[in-house]
Structure formats: structure tokens, C-alpha cells
């Protein structure tokens, strides 16, 4: 029963990692794989070592060492497991184990192996686009150095673009760099294909990883001129006042004024006049006032709205002036687009 | 005088701010009605005639001139024996001191034919004018002018003379305006025939002008 449980644990621990490997062509390595699947560890050791003496491809060789590492781990030979995993990462520096799918022993042995070998792993250059020379822009570059080392990062042009030092420093572990991609005079680097090369050196040991990228130039988008401010709309500059008695009232007032004035100025010695002339004109004024009272009033300027619209137009004009200035600057700028390309080959120890 | 003063005060209080009309010129003919009294209540005339008026405005300045030629006949019960023809010329030059108020100066002149059938008068006028827009294109005005330094064909003097008026201008359609104006003139003429002492010989005239005008 105990043996059955151990088998089950081992199967759960190692089988996924093994199952995820590439197809194996070498017969000896395939037999080692079968022996590992059958938990025949001693046979795994002899078969895998025999396979390593044969001509193997890189992935097959890495797979053979990996089988040895897992087997030594299962047999509690941690030092040997570490040695085997060191060979694995030297052959395939990007090799990664899933801590959720391999046994803790194997994973810790793999982790120890990584710390004992100088590697530059997981070099990533993100796709990005930014305005050349702007402070906020830059190309994000990430990689992991497995040991404390002097690391130099360069971008090497494929043609006449030249070579640019991105960073040089002592690093260990995860490294995040931001490359502004500009020349010493501030201009953006020429368009073209570059290879980002990370060289790590620790004493006599050295390792380099690379990632090709393509840099293209484009024009910076200019800003559109504003025709309105979001959330603010022009108001009507005229308003129709409500109907009122004012026209008739004014006509009555003026006519009454003329009548009172006439009556007041009439000379007693000359007698009272017929008021024929005043009747004609006064009646015309009163009728006009009455008609105007009934008519829809004429639109009149809405001073508040006029001032508001004037302010709004001034704001838009001011903003458009700023946009025009900004566009002049933008037309002189270059939009840099960086796209990582497929790697032609992995890095390696030197 | 007290009712006239009250009317002026009421106008000054009641007239609301109305924007001055835009720069323009109106010109047109007018039909004229006239009533004229002189010296005593028995000497009164009435008549009609034709005339014309022109009004111009430039910013705060406005000018107005009116000419009328009327034929007056003795009214019913008048002591006058025969009528006469009068030519009335009025002119004003005004300056807006407020959107609804102006000060104005001008002249008033009336000549009579046959001469001495009535008094020919010439005077300088100084006064104020109020105007209000009572609707789209409709304006009413009220004016009071003091007639200064009057001269009479029959001699005499007039220490106190007033002229008040009511005006109406309505834009009927497009450039066509309808105009109406009323003017009441009271001249407190005093004469001293033969050096026997001054006697009152007042002159009183009311005029109504109704017409059409074209605006430019």
C-alpha cells in the first residue's frame, strides 16, 4: 500500500513534466523515458547515460539530463540532480519547471542549479510605440540574471544603424530596463532591425542572450482643432421677451402726456381748441401700441448669453492656439514603434 | 403749466430703456392738418396742406426737418375775414444723452402769405425729447421745446413760448414707414401798440402730420 502511494505521488510529481517534453527520436533515450515512466530509476540512469554517449540533438540532450535530474531527485541524490539540471539549463537556458507540477525536491534541485550557473534568461522586449525623445517613452527590456554579474545591454544594428549601449551595471535576478532609443544628441535612433544583446560576465564565466527587434519611424498624430468644448454649448444670443402691456402703456403715456401738455398750455384767452390734430396722432399712437401689445415681441439680445458665448469662443480660440503650437512641435517629432522579432537562435555560454 | 410738468415727470419715470434705432434715413411726404388761433378766441383758422419730412440718424446724433405748406381758412364763427397760406419749417438736431432721452436744438419758422394776415414767426428751439420703442420697428416720441428769441412780422416779444410734440414712426413693411406727428405751439406774445403799454397777443397752433416714408 505504501509503495502504491509512493508510485502515485511520483507519477503526479514527474509525469506532467516528462509528458510535456518534445518528441524523442533517439531509441535509447526513448527507452530511458519508458523506464522513467515505469519508475525503474536504476534503468533510467543507465539508459540516459548511454543515450548521452550517443549523438543527440540539443533538445534530446537536455531531455536526457532532465531525466537524470528528476531520477536523482527521486532517489534523493540531490547533488547529482543539481549537476544534471545545470547541464539542462546550459543547453536550454529558457527551460523552466512548473513548481505546481514537479516534486519539491526536483524543483529545489533545479533552482539550486540555476543559481550555480551564470545565465541570462527570459529576455523580453515589449512591443511599444512612443514619441522619440520624450521623457515618458522608452522600450521596456526585461531579463533575469541567475548570478551577480557585470551585465552590459546593447542594441546592435543589423546594417549601418550602429551599436548603442543601453545599460551597463552589476545585476542579479530580475532586471527591468527602459531604453529611450535616442542618440546622444537627442534624436531618435535610425529605423531598422536591431538585436538587443545582453552580455553577463562573472570572472571567467560569460553568458549572452539576444532578442531581435524592428524599429520603425512614423509621424506623430497631430491634435484636431476644437469646434466646441465638451460639456459646454453655445446659448442662443437672442430671447423673445414675454408679451406685456408695455407697448400700449407707453403709447397711452405718451399720448396722455401730449394731451395734458396741450391742455396745460392752452391760453385761456384763446379758448379751448378742437383737439382735432391730437386726436388723429394720438389715436394712431394708441392703435399702434395696442397692436404691438398683441403681437409677438421681437427677439432681443440676451446679454448674459452673449457674454457667455464670447467667453466660450475665447476659450476655444485659446485652446486652438495651444493646439496649433502643440501640432507644430508634433510635426517635428518622430513616433518610434518597436516590435520584437522571432529569435533566430537562443543565447549561450561562452 | 402744472399739468405739463406732471406729464414730463411721469414720462421721465415711466420711459424704459430702449435701444436707439440703428443708423438710417427716412424721407417721405405728409398730409398736414393745422389749427391756428391768434390774439383772441374769435380769431381762429383751420386748414390742411401737404409737406414732407426727413429724419437722419448717425450714432447718437439725429436730425429732423419738416416742411409744410398749408392753406388756412377762418373756422366757423371766426372773426377772420379771409384765409391765408402758411409755410412752416421746423428743424431739430438732437443728441442722445441716454438710450431713451435726447437734448435737441433747432429752429421753427412760419411765414404767412399774404403777409400780416397772420403773424410770421421765427424762433430758436431748445428742448428735450423722450423716445421709446413699443414694438418691432415702432417708436413713439414726446418732445418739449422752449422757443427762444422769437421774432414776429408784426413786432412784439414773447418771453415764454413752448412747443410740445408727439411722434410716431412705424415700420409697415420693409423700407416703408408710417409716420404721424403732432405739435402744439403756444407763444405768449406781447405787443405794445402805440406805446400805450403791453398787451397780450398770444398765438396758438396745433399741427398734425400723417404720412409715409421710405427708410434707407
Amino acid at each position: 500500500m505504501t509503495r502504491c502511494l509512493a508510485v502515485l505521488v511520483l507519477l503526479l510529481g514527474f509525469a506532467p513534466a516528462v509528458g510535456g517534453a518534445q518528441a524523442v527520436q533517439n531509441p535509447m533515450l526513448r527507452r530511458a523515458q519508458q523506464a522513467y515512466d515505469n519508475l525503474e530509476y536504476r534503468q533510467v540512469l543507465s539508459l540516459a547515460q548511454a543515450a548521452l554517449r550517443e549523438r543527440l540533438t540539443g533538445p534530446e540532450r537536455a531531455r536526457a539530463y532532465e531525466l537524470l535530474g528528476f531520477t536523482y531527485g527521486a532517489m534523493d541524490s540531490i547533488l547529482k540532480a543539481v549537476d544534471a539540471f545545470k547541464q539542462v539549463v546550459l543547453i536550454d537556458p529558457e527551460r523552466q519547471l512548473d513548481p505546481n507540477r514537479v516534486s519539491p525536491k526536483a524543483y529545489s534541485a533545479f533552482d539550486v542549479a540555476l543559481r550555480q550557473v551564470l545565465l541570462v534568461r527570459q529576455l523580453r522586449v515589449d512591443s511599444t510605440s512612443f514619441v522619440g525623445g520624450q521623457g515618458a517613452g522608452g522600450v521596456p527590456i526585461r531579463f533575469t540574471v541567475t548570478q551577480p554579474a557585470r551585465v552590459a545591454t546593447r542594441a546592435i544594428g543589423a546594417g549601418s544603424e550602429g551599436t548603442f549601449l543601453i545599460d551597463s551595471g552589476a545585476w542579479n535576478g530580475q532586471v527591468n530596463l527602459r531604453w529611450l532609443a535616442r542618440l546622444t544628441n537627442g534624436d531618435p535612433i535610425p529605423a531598422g532591425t536591431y538585436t538587443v544583446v545582453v552580455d553577463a560576465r562573472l570572472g571567467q564565466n560569460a553568458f549572452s542572450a539576444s532578442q531581435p527587434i524592428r524599429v520603425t519611424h512614423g509621424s506623430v498624430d497631430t491634435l484636431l482643432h476644437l469646434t466646441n468644448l465638451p460639456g459646454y454649448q453655445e446659448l442662443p444670443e437672442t430671447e423673445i421677451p414675454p408679451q406685456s402691456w408695455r407697448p400700449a402703456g407707453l403709447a397711452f403715456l405718451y399720448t396722455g402726456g401730449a394731451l395734458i401738455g396741450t391742455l396745460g398750455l392752452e391760453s385761456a384767452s384763446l379758448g379751448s381748441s378742437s383737439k382735432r390734430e391730437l386726436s388723429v396722432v394720438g389715436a394712431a399712437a394708441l392703435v399702434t401700441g395696442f397692436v404691438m401689445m398683441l403681437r409677438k415681441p421681437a427677439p432681443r439680445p440676451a446679454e448674459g448669453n452673449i457674454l457667455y458665448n464670447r467667453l466660450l469662443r475665447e476659450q476655444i480660440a485659446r485652446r486652438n492656439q495651444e493646439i496649433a503650437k502643440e501640432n507644430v512641435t508634433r510635426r517635428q517629432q518622430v513616433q518610434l514603434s518597436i516590435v520584437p522579432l522571432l529569435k533566430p537562435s537562443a543565447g549561450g555560454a561562452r | 403749466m402744472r399739468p405739463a410738468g406732471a406729464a414730463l415727470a411721469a414720462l421721465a419715470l415711466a420711459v424704459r430703456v430702449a435701444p436707439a434705432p440703428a443708423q438710417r434715413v427716412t424721407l417721405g411726404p405728409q398730409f398736414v392738418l393745422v389749427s391756428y388761433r391768434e390774439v383772441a378766441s374769435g380769431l381762429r383758422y383751420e386748414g390742411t396742406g401737404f409737406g414732407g419730412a426727413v429724419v437722419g440718424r448717425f450714432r447718437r446724433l439725429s436730425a429732423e426737418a419738416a416742411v409744410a405748406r398749408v392753406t388756412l381758412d377762418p373756422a366757423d364763427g371766426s372773426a377772420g375775414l379771409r384765409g391765408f397760406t402758411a409755410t412752416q419749417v421746423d428743424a431739430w438736431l438732437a443728441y442722445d444723452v441716454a438710450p431713451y432721452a435726447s437734448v435737441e436744438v433747432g429752429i421753427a419758422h412760419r411765414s404767412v402769405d399774404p403777409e400780416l394776415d397772420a403773424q410770421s414767426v421765427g424762433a430758436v428751439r431748445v428742448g428735450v425729447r423722450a423716445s421709446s420703442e413699443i414694438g418691432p420697428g415702432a417708436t413713439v416720441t414726446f418732445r418739449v421745446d422752449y422757443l427762444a428769441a422769437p421774432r414776429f412780422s408784426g413786432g412784439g416779444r414773447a418771453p415764454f413760448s413752448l412747443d410740445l410734440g408727439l411722434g410716431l414712426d412705424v415700420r409697415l413693411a420693409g423700407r416703408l414707414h408710417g409716420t404721424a406727428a403732432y405739435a402744439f405751439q403756444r407763444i405768449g406774445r406781447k405787443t405794445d401798440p402805440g406805446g400805450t403799454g403791453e398787451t397780450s397777443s398770444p398765438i396758438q397752433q396745433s399741427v398734425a402730420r400723417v404720412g409715409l416714408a421710405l427708410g434707407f
Side-chain angles (χ1 to χ4, degrees):
Chain A
M1 184 65 187
T2 309
R3 181 180 167 80
C4 287
L5 274 175
V7 167
L8 188 60
V9 167
L10 284 171
L11 274 174
L12 287 172
F14 298 126
V18 173
Q22 294 177 349
V24 174
Q25 300 293 325
N26 183 275
M28 191 68 74
L29 184 58
R30 202 179 300 158
R31 285 176 59 195
Q33 177 74 54
Q34 284 175 348
Y36 181 82
D37 293 342
N38 295 331
L39 307 179
E40 295 165 349
Y41 294 137
R42 298 204 176 279
Q43 205 170 350
V44 173
L45 294 177
S46 59
L47 288 170
Q49 283 164 351
L52 285 169
R53 285 191 290 273
E54 295 182 1
R55 178 180 286 275
L56 297 177
T57 62
E60 285 176 335
R61 184 165 292 275
R63 181 63 193 146
Y65 280 117
E66 199 172 50
L67 281 174
L68 287 173
F70 285 135
T71 305
Y72 283 130
M75 294 170 70
D76 289 336
S77 298
I78 299 301
L79 289 178
K80 288 184 178 177
V82 168
D83 285 341
F85 282 131
K86 281 161 71 175
Q87 296 302 318
V88 172
V89 295
L90 283 171
I91 295 167
D92 181 5
E94 300 297 323
R95 183 65 64 103
Q96 188 75 24
L97 297 185
D98 185 352
N100 296 319
R101 302 182 69 181
V102 300
S103 74
K105 282 182 191 172
Y107 188 80
S108 61
F110 184 83
D111 196 45
V112 170
L114 277 179
R115 293 170 196 275
Q116 292 183 0
V117 179
L118 177 59
L119 294 175
V120 175
R121 285 160 46 84
Q122 297 164 350
L123 172 60
R124 300 283 183 272
V125 180
D126 292 339
S127 294
T128 186
S129 183
F130 60 94
V131 178
Q134 294 285 304
V139 186
I141 299 172
R142 290 174 285 130
F143 56 86
T144 303
V145 186
T146 56
Q147 284 190 303
R150 169 66 63 182
V151 181
T153 309
R154 292 183 182 81
I156 300 169
S160 59
E161 292 89 352
T163 299
F164 305 98
L165 179 65
I166 297 172
D167 180 73
S168 177
W171 294 108
N172 183 26
Q174 177 78 35
V175 180
N176 292 300
L177 299 178
R178 185 165 288 276
W179 178 35
L180 295 177
R182 61 186 177 197
L183 306 174
T184 51
N185 63 3
D187 289 346
I189 61 167
T193 303
Y194 292 82
T195 303
V196 175
V197 178
V198 180
D199 284 319
R201 185 173 296 278
L202 177 61
Q204 297 299 314
N205 296 328
F207 193 90
S208 69
S210 65
Q211 171 66 54
I213 59 170
R214 179 177 294 126
V215 178
T216 53
H217 284 185
S219 57
V220 178
D221 290 341
T222 52
L223 299 173
L224 290 176
H225 280 240
L226 297 177
T227 54
N228 62 350
L229 288 180
Y232 297 90
Q233 289 181 334
E234 288 202 1
L235 300 174
E237 296 196 348
T238 57
E239 59 186 5
I240 297 174
Q243 280 188 321
S244 75
W245 54 268
R246 186 172 175 270
L250 282 172
F252 182 80
L253 187 70
Y254 276 76
T255 306
L259 177 63
I260 293 170
T262 301
L263 292 174
L265 287 176
E266 277 180 348
S267 169
S269 60
L270 294 178
S272 177
S273 64
S274 68
K275 315 289 185 305
R276 178 183 65 164
E277 292 78 17
L278 178 59
S279 301
V280 171
V281 178
L286 289 174
V287 168
T288 303
F290 189 71
V291 169
M292 291 300 168
M293 183 181 72
L294 297 179
R295 277 183 64 178
K296 185 180 173 184
R300 66 184 178 196
E303 297 296 337
N305 293 359
I306 291 170
L307 285 174
Y308 172 85
N309 290 345
R310 194 181 300 161
L311 278 174
L312 197 58
R313 289 188 203 112
E314 285 173 3
Q315 282 292 326
I316 291 172
R318 198 173 301 156
R319 183 75 189 106
N320 281 337
Q321 282 181 345
E322 292 170 2
I323 287 173
K325 281 184 189 171
E326 173 77 18
N327 284 344
V328 169
T329 308
R330 285 183 174 225
R331 287 189 191 98
Q332 295 166 349
Q333 292 174 334
V334 175
Q335 179 86 18
L336 283 178
S337 296
I338 286 87
V339 180
L341 304 173
L342 287 174
K343 283 185 186 179
S345 61
R350 288 178 292 177
Chain B
M1 272 309 294
R2 289 187 66 185
L8 278 176
L11 269 178
L13 286 173
V15 170
R16 305 284 295 274
V17 175
Q23 172 189 348
R24 71 160 192 264
V25 173
T26 56
L27 172 69
Q30 292 178 324
F31 176 72
V32 184
L33 292 171
V34 179
S35 293
Y36 180 83
R37 296 184 180 210
E38 187 178 330
V39 181
S41 61
L43 196 59
R44 56 183 190 270
Y45 300 85
E46 286 182 350
T48 59
F50 291 93
V54 58
V55 179
R57 167 166 286 281
F58 180 72
R59 295 181 182 167
R60 292 182 143 205
L61 280 175
S62 61
E64 185 177 347
V67 179
R69 186 168 178 80
V70 292
T71 304
L72 292 109
D73 295 309
D76 290 342
S78 171
L81 297 178
R82 59 175 185 172
F84 61 92
T85 300
T87 303
Q88 176 90 29
V89 178
D90 294 290
W92 297 266
L93 182 64
Y95 178 79
D96 295 346
V97 293
Y100 53 86
S102 313
V103 292
E104 61 183 16
V105 294
I107 57 162
H109 184 268
R110 180 171 61 246
S111 59
V112 175
D113 183 29
E115 201 172 351
L116 299 179
D117 275 13
Q119 287 298 317
S120 294
V121 182
V124 174
R125 59 170 86 231
V126 181
V128 293
R129 184 175 66 188
S131 63
S132 289
E133 198 170 301
I134 59 172
T139 307
V140 287
T141 58
F142 180 78
R143 64 158 52 94
V144 178
D145 292 340
Y146 175 71
L147 299 178
R151 295 283 181 271
F152 304 97
S153 56
R157 65 186 187 90
F160 182 75
S161 303
L162 279 180
D163 180 293
L164 65 85
L166 172 70
L168 173 68
D169 186 325
V170 183
R171 195 179 66 237
L172 299 174
R175 294 177 177 273
L176 185 63
H177 291 242
T179 60
Y182 165 75
F184 179 82
Q185 197 176 74
R186 160 74 193 279
I187 300 174
R189 181 179 174 231
K190 293 181 187 300
T191 55
D192 184 10
T196 56
E198 276 193 336
T199 58
S200 180
S201 307
I203 298 171
Q204 185 172 298
Q205 176 185 265
S206 57
V207 179
R209 298 188 184 95
V210 180
L212 296 172
L214 283 177
F216 301 99

